[in-house]
Amino acid sequence: MSPKQALVVGASRGLGLVLARELLRRGWHVIATARRDSPGLRALDGVEIESLEMTSADQLAAVRGRLAGRRLDLLFVNAAIDRGNTPIGEVPADVFTEVMLTNALSPLRTVEALGDLVEPRGTIAVMSSEQGSVSLNTEDGYELYKASKAALNQLMRSYATRTAADGRTKLLIDPGHNRTRLGGPDAPLDPEESIPAVVDVLEAEAGTPGLRFLDRHGKPVPW
């Protein structure tokens, strides 16, 4: 039997890199994208590496062309930046645009460009965050990051509504607060422990159509 095929977008480091490694460990064939050279990816035996700056429409179109004819069981899009804990009224317009472009628009552009490579019973997943939950936003801080993840969730929901008839599984995944460059060194979770749980969720949800917003344990996250 041929191995399952996964494309992990945004896998040069952090959660995306650990995700690619875990899928390989479970016997998947993994295509992984990176913005620049990634020693971590190059160290993974068997990974297929593509260069992609997700915010570039031209690079995205080029990757789509190179992957034409491939069939995927999983497309996982991972992208996030944070530009500090600044009240929204003090955020410069260019910073607002940068964060929204990276965290919300570019992931959905990627889904739109590459989603048709996913098998009809395959999975399209995007890395989100509990911080994107409007109903759970009861503590102050990180207003722009929260807004960008809420926008990501809303855009993914719009996409899922528009493509509901395609039968694919669609997931927004909250991996928890992990020790990465984004999450910081004091975060409570180790990606080497949390990401295997995320892959458990991806495998358990495969084949169930529709969109769900889930944490790393497979529990629904409130919108």
Side-chain angles (χ1 to χ4, degrees):
M1 180 181 293
S2 300
K4 293 181 179 179
Q5 305 285 312
L7 171 57
V8 180
V9 177
S12 60
R13 56 182 171 82
L15 298 179
L17 177 59
V18 179
L19 176 63
R21 184 187 303 128
E22 178 63 18
L23 289 168
L24 284 168
R25 189 186 70 80
R26 298 190 188 202
W28 290 64
H29 176 77
V30 176
I31 310 164
T33 78
R35 295 170 58 197
R36 56 182 66 91
D37 180 59
S38 169
L41 273 182
R42 284 192 282 104
L44 298 182
D45 186 29
V47 71
E48 184 179 343
I49 302 174
E50 287 281 349
S51 177
L52 174 64
E53 167 52 72
M54 231 193 322
T55 61
S56 168
D58 289 343
Q59 289 192 29
L60 186 57
V63 167
R64 177 63 181 82
R66 290 195 296 272
L67 296 180
R70 304 289 289 269
R71 302 307 299 168
L72 304 172
D73 298 285
L74 170 66
L75 167 63
F76 196 107
V77 181
N78 172 54
I81 59 172
D82 176 28
R83 291 296 181 255
N85 186 11
T86 305
I88 197 66
E90 300 174 15
V91 174
D94 60 335
V95 173
F96 182 89
T97 300
E98 178 193 22
V99 172
M100 285 293 184
L101 175 63
T102 302
N103 292 3
L105 179 58
S106 293
L108 265 296
R109 278 181 171 170
T110 302
V111 167
E112 295 272 12
L114 303 176
D116 67 340
L117 300 177
V118 178
E119 296 282 1
R121 297 286 288 175
T123 299
I124 298 172
V126 178
M127 196 77 85
S128 185
S129 171
E130 180 184 282
Q131 301 239 23
S133 168
V134 174
S135 61
L136 293 180
N137 185 9
T138 58
E139 297 181 3
D140 64 6
Y142 296 94
E143 297 173 17
L144 177 54
Y145 181 78
K146 290 176 179 177
S148 71
K149 286 298 186 179
L152 170 71
N153 292 351
Q154 185 75 296
L155 291 172
M156 186 64 179
R157 194 157 194 173
S158 295
Y159 171 80
T161 299
R162 174 162 40 88
T163 61
D166 67 11
R168 296 184 177 99
T169 302
K170 301 180 180 80
L171 299 172
L172 288 158
I173 297 291
D174 167 32
H177 188 189
N178 284 267
R179 290 189 291 276
T180 63
R181 183 179 299 182
L182 180 67
D186 298 323
L189 298 176
D190 180 353
E192 300 292 342
E193 296 177 356
S194 60
I195 289 301
V198 167
V199 178
D200 287 343
V201 173
L202 295 174
E203 293 184 334
E205 294 292 325
T208 304
L211 175 66
R212 288 168 293 288
F213 183 14
L214 304 175
D215 69 13
R216 67 188 184 282
H217 304 298
K219 296 180 181 179
V221 180
W223 294 92

